[in-house]
Amino acid sequence: MRIQSLFLVSITSLGGLFLVGCGAQGEYKGMEFAPNMYHSVAYEPLTQIDDEEAGTFVSTREDGKGEFFNSNVNNPYQMNMREPVANTVPRNKQGYLPYRMPKDSLDYAAAVVKSPLTASEDVVAQGKELYLRYCTHCHGQNGQGSEDPTAKVGAILKGVPSYSVGRLATVSEGHVFHVITHGKGRMGAHGSQISEENRWKIVSYVQKLQKGSN
């Protein structure tokens, strides 16, 4: 019985010391089991912590460096993110390359830029829906510009041309897309408001309006 009592007292005392040792107070952070599991390191992609002793008090790293040290020593630009492979460019989820044709390249865009979409009935129908949402206030529901009674802003501005009359009836899909993207004259740029795919859908419908149909 005496041995059992001593054993229990010893266990209780050790348990008490362990609990006291775990308590954080003032500058003392306490004892933790696997502290790197509790103090996850937030890696900033464009910045690094290059002080090798940062976070030493919670570090369990085998290399002896601080837990917060996160410099990618193989990256000469002091970033944690890796650079893309040289000469690569981003694509969106449809696989389109970014449209980087500058605003002053309308003639070139008109000659070479082609739609990645097939002008199917579904694409044209979606283009019409987008056109009615973004374009009718100036160009009218039928694309007749300021002569169209549905062109609320166009009627005020005057001079908004019809898609099916004169030069606009013959401009290419690249021309229409470039103008939607960058704007032209009194028309503002819509590249930041409308995704590239949706701009091409609008183009498919505008080309239908160029033929005088809707």
Side-chain angles (χ1 to χ4, degrees):
M1 292 292 293
R2 186 176 181 181
I3 295 176
Q4 290 179 344
S5 297
L6 289 172
F7 179 75
L8 290 174
V9 170
S10 299
I11 292 298
T12 303
S13 299
L14 289 173
L17 289 172
F18 180 77
L19 292 175
V20 170
C22 290
Q25 185 176 8
E27 295 296 324
Y28 179 62
K29 303 302 180 182
M31 296 177 62
E32 295 177 327
F33 178 75
N36 56 333
M37 296 180 65
Y38 302 106
H39 303 280
S40 59
V41 180
Y43 291 100
E44 293 291 338
L46 300 177
T47 60
Q48 293 179 331
I49 297 176
D50 54 14
D51 179 4
E52 295 188 4
E53 296 184 358
T56 303
F57 63 94
V58 293
S59 180
T60 57
R61 292 170 53 156
E62 294 181 356
D63 59 9
K65 297 178 182 179
E67 187 67 31
F68 306 142
F69 171 70
N70 63 9
S71 289
N72 179 357
V73 296
N74 297 312
N75 192 331
Y77 302 105
Q78 295 187 335
M79 300 185 299
N80 284 310
M81 65 181 293
R82 294 185 177 183
E83 289 192 310
V85 178
N87 301 317
T88 58
V89 292
R91 293 176 183 264
N92 62 16
K93 62 182 180 180
Q94 287 82 24
Y96 300 163
L97 291 170
Y99 188 72
R100 294 177 175 171
M101 198 78 69
K103 182 177 181 179
D104 60 359
S105 301
L106 177 58
D107 291 340
Y108 183 74
V112 303
V113 175
K114 303 297 181 183
S115 175
L117 303 178
T118 301
S120 63
E121 290 185 7
D122 184 52
V123 168
V124 174
Q126 292 179 51
K128 180 178 181 178
E129 181 179 344
L130 291 164
Y131 175 90
L132 294 175
R133 184 186 308 168
Y134 292 107
C135 312
T136 53
H137 54 283
C138 284
H139 295 277
Q141 293 182 8
N142 299 316
Q144 299 303 308
S146 55
E147 301 302 320
D148 192 323
T150 64
K152 299 177 182 179
V153 178
I156 299 173
L157 294 176
K158 298 296 183 182
V160 178
S162 168
Y163 285 127
S164 59
V165 177
R167 179 173 175 272
L168 275 189
T170 61
V171 297
S172 68
E173 59 184 357
H175 177 107
V176 178
F177 181 83
H178 191 85
V179 171
I180 293 174
T181 303
H182 291 298
K184 184 177 186 293
R186 290 178 294 174
M187 177 175 169
H190 288 69
S192 62
Q193 297 98 321
I194 310 173
S195 70
E196 184 171 347
E197 182 180 18
N198 284 344
R199 275 176 273 153
W200 279 119
K201 289 178 179 179
I202 293 174
V203 170
S204 69
Y205 182 65
V206 169
Q207 290 205 298
K208 186 175 181 180
L209 294 177
Q210 287 176 290
K211 300 174 183 177
S213 57
N214 53 41

